[in-house]
Structure formats: C-alpha cells, structure tokens
C-alpha cells in the first residue's frame, strides 16, 4: 500500500509548513504568517485568474494558518468557489475550509448550500459524501432548512451506494439533534428501521446511531427496531470469530456494532414477545459465557473489545432489572474484574457494580465484595479509581455493614485527596445518619468528621448534627459530653467550636454536675476559642453565653463582665456589638422567669429530608430541584435557629430601646439579602401608581422639586467620591433596597422602584448619634455626559437632623438614553462643629431600566444570532468571587431585571436571560448568557445587545456580582 | 427500571490529538464551541491528561463529560464523550483509528499529521461522523481512502 508522501500534491504548502516549523520564536512565526497572508491576499486580488490548483493551495494555507490559532478574515469566497470544482482534491479543500471556518454569513451560506445541493444531486458518491459530511460537520439551522427533506430520501433510496447511506444516516442524525423541528417523520422512518437488516455492516453501524436517537425521542414509532436489533445481535454474538471478516476486530466479531445494538435496546423495556425475549436472554448469557472463555489473543485490544460488549450487556441487564439470574452473574463477573491487573477493568467494574448495588436482586451479591472494595479504597494509585471505590462503598452500605464502611471511609478521609474530600464528608454524614442505630455513634462520627476534615464539613453537615441532637433527647447528654471533650484539643476546628457552642448552650447543664465540666469550666473552654474565631462563630458563641446565664445563674457575673468589655460592646462589627449590648441588657433587666422563657431550650425541628442528602444530590446532578428548595428553607431556619430564641424575644423585650444599628429602616425584613425586585417592589407599588404620571412627564417642577440644586448651605466643594463608592454601587446592581452607606455618624438606606424608563428612589438618612446634625444638605449631580443621559430631580431635605432621627428624601430619575456613569450624591452637615463632607455614587445603573422578556428557545437563538456582530457582544471570563450556588445565581440574575429563561440553553448548567432596556430615546434588547464552570470556579459571561455600549456596561456591572 | 433519557443522545463531543508539549495536531469538534472555548478546552484536556501515568486508567472525568484517551509515543489521542458512554468501545475506537492512520501513512509519525493535516480530516470523517462511529472496518476505510487518493 503506497504511503502518502509529505505534503503530497501541494509543494508550496509543504514548504510553508516547514518554514513555520523552523521559526525560532513566536515573533518570527507571526512575521512569516503575515508575509504569507499578504502574498495570498495579493494573489486573490490579482488580475490574473487563479487556476484551481493555486486556489486550493492558498485556501489550504489559510486553513493551516487558522488552525495555528490566527484569525482569517478573507478567502471564504475562494473556498466557496472550490466547492464547484469538479476535481475531488479541490472540492475537498473547499469543504474542509467551510467546515472548519464556518460562520453564519448569509451571503455565503446561500452559495454554499447551492454547491451542496449540486453535489447531492450529482450521483457521484464521492461528491455526495463530501457534501453530506459538510452538512454533518456544520449542522446549522440554515442547512437543516435546506436539506432536512432531501437527506431522508437519499438515505432510503434503493440505488444509493452504501457509503453514501452511512453518511446520510449520520448527517440526518446531526440535523435532527440540532433542529428536531425541521426533520419530519414520514414514510422514510419505517424504512430506516429496516436498515438494521442491511447486509452491509457499515450501514447498520451508522444507521443504528440515528435509530437510537429517534427511538429515544419517539419510542412507540420505532418499537419494531427491538426485534430487529435482537436478531441482528443474536447473529453477531453466535458467529464465529472469523465469520464477519472485515468487521472482526482482534477476534471479536463487530464489537462496536454489538455495543450500539445493546445500547439501542436500553431505550426500551424488556421485549414483551416471549420468543424475542428468549433470544435476547440467550445473547446476554452467551456474552457472559464468553467472558469466562480463555482469550483468543493476548493483545489488550482483544480483551477490551470483548469487555466493551460485556459492560454494555451488563448495562442492559441492569436497565431491565428483572432477571435475577443475569444480575447475579453480572455481579460475579464484575467481582472477578475487581482484582484484575488492568486498572481500566477495576475502574469499570467498580463503576458498574455501583448501579448493581441499587438492584434488590444483586444488592447482596455486591455486598460480598466489601473487603476487596475497601482494599481498593486504600491501595489504588489512581484517585479516580479510589473515588469509584468510595462511591461503591456508599452504594452497598446498609444497616448490616454501615459501621464498618463508615469507619473505613473516616480513616480514608485522613489521607484522602483534596478533590474528593467534600463529597466523602457528605457521604459519611449521610450514612451515619441513615444507619444510626444508636445516636451516640452518629454524634461520634460527625464530630470525628469535623476533627479529621473540618474544612470540608459544610454548613449542612453541622446544622444537621445539631438538628438531630435537639430532636433526640436520648443523645443530648452524650453529645454535650463528647463535644466538651473534643473542645479540649488545643487546636480544634472552628466548626467544632460552632457545634460545641450550640450544644453546650442548649445542653451544657446535662454535664454540669461533673466538677471537671462545671459551668464555669465550660464557659472558659468556649471562651478560650472565641478570639480565634470568625465573626459568625463569635456571634453564635455570644448567644451561647446568654443561654449560659439562663442555665447557670452562677456564671452571670463572669459573662456579663465579658459582654461588658470594650472588645464586645464596642466591637466594630455591628452584629457582635448589637448582640453584646442586647444580651447584656437582657441579662441585667429581665427577671429569671422572663429570661427562662426567652432562652428556653430550642423546640424540636420538624422532620424532613436531610439537608445533606439534598446537597449531595445537588452535587451529583439533576433531579434534586425540589429538594434544593427545601434545602434553602431549612438552612434559613437552622441558621436563624441559634438566634431565634434570643433575637425574637429580645426584639419584643426591648422594642422601646432604640439600638443604633437595629433595623433603622425596617429594611431587614423587607429586603432579603439577595433582594429580588418583585418581593420588595410590591411595597412601593401604591406609592408609585400615584407618583407615576407626575414623574413621567419630564421637566415637572413642583415647588418641592429642584433639579440639581446648586449648593446653598456649605461653601466647600463636594468631596470626591469615597474610594469604596464603586464597591457600594456594585452591591446594588442586583437589588433595589438596602443600606448604601454607614459610618459612625450616619446611615444611608435606599429603597427604589423602577418602571419603564423611570425610577424613584427613597433615601433615608439616619443620625446615629444623640447630637443633631446641622446644615444638613444633599446634592445629586450628573457629571459630564451623564447630564444628557439621565434626568434626576431631588427634593431638598430639612437642614436639621435630630439625634437618633431619620429623614427621607425622594429622587426621581428618568433615563433618557443609555449611560455608564452613576449620579453622585454629596452630603454635607456639621456634627459638633466639624463639617462632614461625603460623596457617594447613587446606585442607578443601566440595568435598572430592564423590562424582562420571556421567550422560547428558538426565538432566543434566532435573536442571539441576529446580534452576532463583534461590537454587539461583550464577554468576560472571570473567577468566581462568591460561592456558585444555583439559587443565589438565579436570584442575582432575576435581580438584574432580566427574565431568566428556563430550558433554553442546551447545557442545564448555563443561564440565559433576556430583557429590554427602556430609555426615553430607544429600547435596547439585551440577551445574556452565563456559563459557570464549577470545576474551575470560573464564569464566562456573554452579553449581546443592539448597542455596543449597553453590552459592555451590563457585562461590566454583572461581572462584579459573582 | 433504570430510565436513560438524555444520555443516549450525544456521544462524541470532540476528538483531539495533542503532543506532549500541548501542540494540537488535530481538533475535531462535534458541538458548537467558539474559538476561545475551544482553546480553553484544548488547554484543559492537555492539563488533565498529561499528568497521568501508565498505571492510571485511560479515562478521566472532564467537566460533565469524560475523556477517553490513549498515548501513542509522544501523541495523546483523546475523545470526549458523555459520562454514560462505553469507555472501552471508544478506547478501541481510538486504536482502530490509529491503526488506520498507521497503514495509510505507512508507520505514521507526528510529522505526517502536520504536513497532511487536511487528509487527516478525511480519515476522521470516514470513521467518525456527527459524533458517532461511522465505519469500523479498517479494510473498508483504507480501500475508500486509497480510492480518494487516486482521484485528482
């Protein structure tokens, strides 16, 4: 057989490739490429018509340059010209160029489709295949529209050559996957099924992929394929190793076709027809028998091909889940593989056994391999194999072996790879809970988990242990004792402190009788950890302390002392400060009765599905949506649980004691952290329906409305915006309400509502001191360009703000056209004689004027395509700076103001949104796509809109949100 | 009964041939990706595959998919498929492809793939199309390639 010589046929190409390879640096390469591009450009533009050979050569060079990673912006026309050549080599290069560098340039698509059409009707099988391959490679909607009718005819026509049938079948599959609406079922469908009987094995191999896809979508219509597939499979399985000649691979008859046939059968339940079913069971038995036969070759190709069929057969057996005999045989076979010297086989056996473990027929058989699997977990070199072993242990776990498996997993955790620790932790936590016979074992397990892998113990896990301890009074004393002991360790994980704080706060009394864990000892132990902990943990500990005061009156003085210390009561963190102040007050003014009521033991939690299980489901993929929601709810409840007893009662008891940061604006209840517009918006609807008409007529100047009033009170220039004002602005991109700014004197809260191109914002200025602010004035200004883009009107505020009082200011905003900068808010006042001068950016961003737009997938992609010019798109790839929780992402995207479109992106991990930005001058349609990559902790954000500045701005704004 | 719905609908997402330094010798995409995305995938695949040794499996989880790969001298042949796809069938699919290349280019080496990149695409399309296995018989594929070779 003649070997192909280097660059055969195109010397110039070979020389060029050699030149590139000889380039010593990237610069040299670019230089050489630019030289070549200039040369090709001049050839294409030259007066002399190029012959087909030269055109082919140059197009091929362009393709090579493109594949090196350089942009190619010409040559498409020449490539299209090549399509109509009648020489194969020229046509091939033309089609290749089109397939690799396709873009939806409508002009060209028409020409390309024309050329394809000619080739499809040429009756030249080589040309037909080239054309079909091009369609299959590009698979665009335009091509589907042009050829979805034609290709089925070619596929089932009696005189079509075998190779063309193969290509036509897969070409049609591609079109069906890309545009199922355009491929219409018809008379051809029944004839396609009969391709399973085709005598050409290649045709069957190609056609079966199409049939499998069609069957999975329309099982009833293609039901007849089952018996055909069974008889085809039966013929292959029972053939001798040389019968199938060309299709025998290392003594295995038609391995790929066998796998595809077995996979097709997995689209259907077991055959109802007894004869068909009998024949199929016979096939499956034969396949299992063959696995026991001595190999016909020592080559790994032989055993791989054989085992490919075996694993596919086992998949089918598991899919049917109705033949106990086959299930057990499958399990035994896999059991042999568990100790095979080939890592691949051990891996696949572990994986496959995992599904067998869930069948009632084979669960027990799987369990007999526990020692081997534990050994695999300990000794396998490849982490992915260990991961499968852990999965299998989890799957085979039941009451009889839970203790052993949990112990093994725990000991594995000590050295486990970082990549799988979190999942392992979840699994251990779930198994411990699910199979806990006595809850002391459960508590031990979870505390061990925190000790060994505290960093990987998520909130769900430690919430859950607390939930269970609270609900089971038989384990509370044990839990208190164990956690007390665990806290003795000199370095213990913060999660341990959390659990310890909570449990001792609730049940510390159960061990207080022992002088070694007397109340004061308990408190000192907890407090010794305090300073090393993060703010949320400290907050939890403070709640534990107030509970101690109730449980053990003898600790009151010590704890009050701690609460009273400057580091608590003057803590710079508002939450801690508030807790310290309130708890101190509560402990000193409330009677013991009140205290006992307020700080009563937590009531049992309502039983529902474990939040950890939900988390694991989430990690593991779809099907857990409903659970996820519950997870969120439960988290809220548990999270607040620590404070619920305290805070709620405190709010009641000290309603008359104003605390500086206590919900100055009543915002905390109105606006959840993620602040989606609808929930908070409803509050303002009434206000707005009145104000709407007035605000919408631009230029209204009631007495109270002052358009960008000049500074009257203070002579000093407004301060430059605070360095953090951009960050503050970013906080409000996806929410409308919240605290914009706060320092020791002043708190500024915001509520806002947007309709069409209008917005109304309420600013609340709270004086946190007990002294009045004088000469209080605010100015809202639109610097530079913004002046012509936004119309902002403010009402003046009273120049006096009493100590502890709050004043309100209304701002009306009209968006004239799209904008980038934010209006500036300057606040000046005198406090104790000193002038305060603060400038901030008002969180008015272009996305506030979004109207959500619902649309179907087809519409979305059509519009997406329409916005394909480079300047219409803005894209950012960035690292996640927060967690990648689905619900949070969704809330943020909704908060942005767009509609979150479900079931549009083929990848369920991605998010797509659509909205129209309403400005007075125009409406700007905007499409958004956010692609999270959980593994890399990265996002890619793509914005397309009819206006480049809008795409860019929204992209910039949103990129800061994740 | 275990129901499989989406999993059967797509098999090969892409085929990559890379050398140890990460240079791409063939990239065949069966899914829509834009250029940046392709570049990123190429880099990621290189990163996950090259750190593995001969004692490791020929399979790596990759995003929501898996990579079935095999190393031949300095070249990694990688196929990205759905997680439920048959690992060994694709592993041997790679080998079958390599044997065809070897026969076609008479003891194929990396340079053959460089200088004849446009022919390698033809070989791929004969054996894999639309992300599916099109033809598995080496005899048939080579016969067809020789026929095409003889055409002008």
């Amino acid at each position: 057989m003649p070997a192909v010589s280097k660059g055969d046929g195109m010397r110039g190409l070979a020389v060029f490739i050699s030149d590139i390879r000889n380039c010593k640096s990237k610069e040299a390469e670019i230089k050489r490429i630019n030289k070549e591009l200039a040369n090709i450009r001049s050839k294409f533009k030259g007066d002399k018509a190029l012959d087909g050979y030269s055109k082919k050569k140059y197009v091929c060079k362009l393709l090579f340059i493109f594949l090196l990673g350089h942009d190619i912006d010409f040559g498409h026309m020449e490539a299209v010209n090549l399509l109509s050549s009648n020489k194969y080599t020229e046509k091939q290069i033309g089609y290749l160029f089109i397939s690799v560098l396709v873009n939806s340039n409508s002009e060209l698509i028409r020409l390309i489709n024309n050329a394809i059409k000619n080739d499809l009707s040429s009756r030249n099988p080589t040309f037909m295949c080239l054309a079909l391959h091009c369609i299959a490679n590009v698979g665009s909607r335009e091509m589907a529209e042009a050829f979805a009718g034609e290709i089925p005819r070619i596929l089932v026509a009696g005189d079509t050559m075998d190779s063309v049938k193969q290509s036509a079948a897969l070409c049609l599959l591609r079109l069906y996957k890309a545009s199922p609406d355009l491929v219409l079922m018809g008379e051809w469908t029944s004839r396609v099924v009969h391709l399973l009987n085709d005598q050409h094995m290649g045709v069957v191999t190609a056609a079966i992929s199409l049939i499998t896809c069609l069957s999975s979508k329309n099982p009833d219509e293609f039901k007849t394929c089952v018996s055909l597939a069974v008889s085809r499979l039966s013929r292959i399985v029972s053939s001798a190793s040389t019968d199938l000649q060309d299709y025998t691979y290392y003594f295995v008859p038609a391995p790929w076709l066998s796998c595809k046939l077995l996979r097709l059968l997995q689209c259907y339940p077991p055959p109802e027809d007894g004869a068909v079913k009998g024949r199929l069971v016979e096939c499956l038995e034969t396949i299992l028998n063959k696995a026991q036969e001595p190999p016909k070759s020592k080559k790994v190709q032989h055993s791989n091909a054989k085992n490919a069929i075996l694993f596919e057969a086992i998949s089918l057996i598991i899919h049917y889940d109705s033949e106990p005999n086959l299930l057990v045989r499958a399990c035994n076979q896999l059991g042999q593989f568990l100790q095979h010297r080939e890592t691949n086989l051990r891996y696949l056996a572990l994986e496959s056994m995992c599904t067998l473990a869930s069948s009632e027929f084979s669960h027990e058989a799987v369990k007999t391999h526990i020692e081997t699997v534990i050994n695999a977990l300990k000794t396998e070199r490849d982490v992915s194999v260990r991961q499968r072993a852990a999965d299998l242990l989890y799957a085979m776990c039941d009451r009889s072996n839970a203790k052993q498996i949990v112990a093994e997993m725990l000991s594995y955790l000590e050295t486990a790879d970082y990549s799988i620790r979190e999942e392992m932790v979840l699994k251990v936590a779930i198994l411990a809970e699910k199979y806990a016979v006595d809850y002391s074992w459960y508590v031990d397990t979870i505390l061990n988990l925190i000790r060994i892998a505290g960093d990987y113990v998520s909130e769900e896990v430690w919430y859950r242990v607390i939930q269970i301890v609270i609900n089971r009074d038989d384990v509370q004393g044990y839990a208190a004792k164990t956690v007390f002991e665990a806290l003795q360790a000199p370095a213990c994980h913060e999660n341990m402190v959390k659990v310890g704080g909570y449990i001792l706060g609730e049940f510390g009394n159960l061990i207080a009788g022992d002088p070694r864990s007397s109340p004061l000892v308990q408190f000192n132990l907890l407090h010794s950890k305090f300073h090393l902990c993060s703010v949320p943990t400290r907050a939890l500990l403070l709640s534990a302390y107030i509970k101690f005061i109730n449980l053990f009156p003898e600790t009151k003085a010590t704890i009050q002392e701690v609460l009273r210390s400057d580091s608590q009561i003057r803590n710079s963190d508002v939450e801690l400060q508030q807790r310290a102040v309130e708890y101190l007050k509560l402990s000193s003014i409330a009677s013991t009765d009140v205290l006992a009521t307020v700080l009563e033991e937590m009531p049992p939690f309502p039983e529902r599905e474990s939040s950890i299980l939900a988390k694991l489901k989430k990690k593991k993929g779809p099907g857990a949506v409903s659970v996820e929601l519950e997870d969120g709810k439960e988290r809220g409840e548990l999270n607040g649980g620590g404070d619920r007893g305290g805070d709620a009662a405190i709010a009641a008891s000290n309603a008359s004691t104003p605390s500086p940061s206590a919900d100055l604006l009543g915002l905390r209840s109105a606006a959840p952290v993620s602040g989606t517009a609808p929930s908070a918006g409803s509050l303002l609807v009434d206000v707005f329906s009145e104000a709407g008409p007035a605000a919408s007529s631009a230029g209204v100047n009631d007495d109270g409305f002052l358009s960008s009033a000049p500074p009257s009170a203070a002579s000093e220039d407004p301060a430059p915006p605070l360095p953090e004002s951009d960050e503050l602005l970013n906080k409000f991109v996806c929410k409308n309400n919240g605290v914009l700014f706060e320092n020791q004197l002043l708190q500024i809260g915001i509520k806002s509502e947007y309709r069409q191109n209008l917005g109304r914002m309420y600013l609340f200025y709270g004086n946190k001191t007990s002294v009045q602010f004088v000469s209080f004035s605010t100015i809202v200004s639109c610097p530079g360009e913004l002046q012509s883009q936004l119309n902002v009107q403010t009402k003046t505020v009273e120049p006096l703000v009493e100590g502890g009082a709050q004043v309100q200011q209304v701002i009306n905003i009209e968006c004239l056209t799209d904008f980038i900068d934010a209006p500036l808010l300057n606040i000046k006042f005198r406090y104790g004689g000193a002038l305060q001068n603060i400038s901030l950016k008002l969180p008015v961003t272009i996305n506030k004027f979004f109207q959500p737009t619902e649309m179907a997938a087809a519409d979305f992609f059509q519009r997406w395509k329409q916005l394909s010019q480079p300047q219409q798109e803005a894209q950012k790839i960035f690292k996640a700076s927060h967690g990648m929780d689905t619900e949070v992402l969704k809330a943020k995207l909704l908060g942005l103001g767009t509609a979150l479109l479900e079931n549009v992106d083929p990848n369920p991990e991605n998010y797509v949104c659509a909205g129209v930005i309403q400005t007075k001058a125009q409406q700007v349609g905007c499409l958004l796509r956010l692609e999270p990559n959980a593994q890399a902790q990265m996002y890619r954000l793509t914005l397309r809109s009819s206006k480049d500045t809008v795409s860019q701005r929204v992209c910039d704004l949103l990129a800061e949100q994740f | 009964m275990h129901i499989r719905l989406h999993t059967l609908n797509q098999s090969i997402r892409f085929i990559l041939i890379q050398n140890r330094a990460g240079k791409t010798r063939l990239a065949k995409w069966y899914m829509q990706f834009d250029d940046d995305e392709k570049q990123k995938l190429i880099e990621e695949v290189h990163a996950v595959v090259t750190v593995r040794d001969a004692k490791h499996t020929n399979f790596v989880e990759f995003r929501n998919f898996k990579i079935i790969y095999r190393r031949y001298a300095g070249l990694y042949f990688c196929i990205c498929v759905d997680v439920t796809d048959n690992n060994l069938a694709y592993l041997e699919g790679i080998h079958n492809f390599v044997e065809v290349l070897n026969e076609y280019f008479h003891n194929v080496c990396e340079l053959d793939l460089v200088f004849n990149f446009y022919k390698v695409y033809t070989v791929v399309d004969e054996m894999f199309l639309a992300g599916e296995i099109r033809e598995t018989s080496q005899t048939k594929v080579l016969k067809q390639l020789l026929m095409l070779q003889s055409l002008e």
Side-chain angles (χ1 to χ4, degrees), chain A residues 8 177 249-250 263 381, chain B residues 9 53 84 92 99 119:
Chain A
D8 126 288
K177 281 178 187 168
Y249 178 81
Y250 288 90
R263 196 148 264 244
R381 278 187 51 184
Chain B
N9 289 333
D53 67 30
T84 58
E92 286 316 306
E99 287 192 350
K119 293 189 174 159

Side-chain angles (χ1 to χ4, degrees), chain A residues 545-565:
Chain A
Y545 297 170
I546 186 73
K547 290 227 160 193
F548 265 55
I549 293 184
N550 175 46
L551 287 179
F552 318 115
E554 66 266 40
T555 61
K556 183 166 167 176
T558 316
I559 290 175
Q560 280 184 334
E561 193 63 30
V562 167
L563 292 175
R564 204 177 289 123
S565 71

Side-chain angles (χ1 to χ4, degrees), chain A residues 658-860:
Chain A
S659 99
S661 63
D663 222 351
L664 193 60
L665 307 171
L667 284 176
R668 235 185 259 174
S669 50
V673 188
S674 57
T676 56
S679 68
S682 59
L683 279 173
L684 288 169
V685 169
D686 287 340
V687 181
F688 235 75
S689 53
E690 275 172 54
S696 62
S697 51
V700 164
N701 240 328
D702 290 312
D703 292 345
F705 284 93
L706 209 74
S707 176
S708 302
S712 53
S715 52
E716 288 85 350
D717 290 332
L722 292 176
E724 67 267 31
S725 58
D726 276 318
E727 202 184 305
L728 298 172
L729 181 80
N730 282 331
K731 266 172 51 187
F732 283 84
V733 168
C734 294
K735 63 174 183 177
N736 287 334
N737 305 331
V739 175
L740 175 64
F741 171 78
E742 183 161 27
N743 65 11
Q744 286 168 332
L745 308 176
L746 177 73
Q747 185 193 47
I748 307 175
I750 284 191
K751 280 189 181 183
S752 50
E753 166 82 337
Y754 294 87
R755 284 278 174 83
Q756 307 283 353
N757 67 325
L758 301 173
R760 171 167 282 200
M761 185 179 275
Y762 295 80
L763 291 173
F764 301 86
Y765 304 97
N767 182 345
K768 289 170 65 176
T769 70
S770 51
V771 183
Q772 60 175 208
F773 294 159
V774 293
S775 305
F776 190 85
S777 74
T778 66
I779 308 166
V780 176
S781 60
C782 294
E785 249 190 314
L786 194 60
Q787 216 159 14
S788 58
Q789 296 166 334
L790 278 187
N791 185 6
V792 182
Q793 299 182 334
T794 52
K795 219 169 166 172
T796 47
V797 287
E798 290 297 319
L800 265 187
V801 185
E802 292 296 340
Q806 188 189 85
V807 295
Q808 178 186 333
Q809 182 177 31
V810 185
I811 300 177
N812 286 316
I813 304 149
E814 185 188 21
C815 176
L816 303 173
T817 181
D818 69 292
F819 61 94
I820 290 171
D821 291 327
L824 294 181
L825 169 68
N826 176 248
I827 303 133
K828 290 205 198 92
F829 60 92
R830 286 186 183 276
Y831 168 74
L835 178 79
Q836 308 291 323
N837 186 349
I838 301 160
S839 284
L840 298 164
K841 290 192 175 177
L842 266 194
V844 180
T845 46
I846 184 68
N847 64 292
K848 300 294 177 193
F849 302 95
F850 259 129
Q851 293 276 108
T853 317
E854 291 292 345
M855 59 177 81
D859 291 337
F860 181 87

Side-chain angles (χ1 to χ4, degrees), chain A residues 73-98:
Chain A
D73 54 7
F74 70 103
H76 300 75
M77 202 56 215
E78 285 73 14
V80 173
N81 285 340
L82 286 176
L83 300 183
S84 42
S85 163
N86 53 11
K87 292 193 172 132
Y88 165 76
T89 54
E90 291 169 16
K91 221 184 242 303
Q92 190 249 328
I93 296 296
Y95 273 123
L96 181 57
F97 186 92
I98 302 298

Side-chain angles (χ1 to χ4, degrees), chain A residues 8 163 166 177 209 247 249-250 256 260 263 301 304 308 312 319 343-344 381-382 388 940, chain B residues 2 9 37 52-53 55 57-58 61 70 84 86 89 92 99 106 119 122 132-135 152:
Chain A
D8 126 288
S163 66
Q166 286 174 279
K177 281 178 187 168
S209 294
Y247 288 89
Y249 178 81
Y250 288 90
W256 292 280
K260 283 187 175 195
R263 196 148 264 244
Q301 281 75 24
N304 279 348
E312 204 60 63
H319 168 77
T343 316
N344 285 343
R381 278 187 51 184
D382 184 341
R388 289 292 92 85
R940 185 168 62 192
Chain B
H2 298 259
N9 289 333
E37 217 161 10
R52 300 173 61 83
D53 67 30
K55 290 272 183 204
T57 62
N58 293 88
E61 286 180 15
R70 191 138 158 188
T84 58
N86 188 314
E92 286 316 306
E99 287 192 350
H106 254 200
K119 293 189 174 159
T122 305
E132 297 285 343
I133 293 174
R134 177 184 177 275
E135 179 56 84
E152 206 187 324

Side-chain angles (χ1 to χ4, degrees), chain A residues 57-68:
Chain A
K57 183 178 71 186
Y58 293 131
V59 168
C60 203
K61 282 182 180 176
L62 286 179
L63 185 57
F64 183 78
I65 293 170
F66 176 79
L67 291 171
L68 282 177

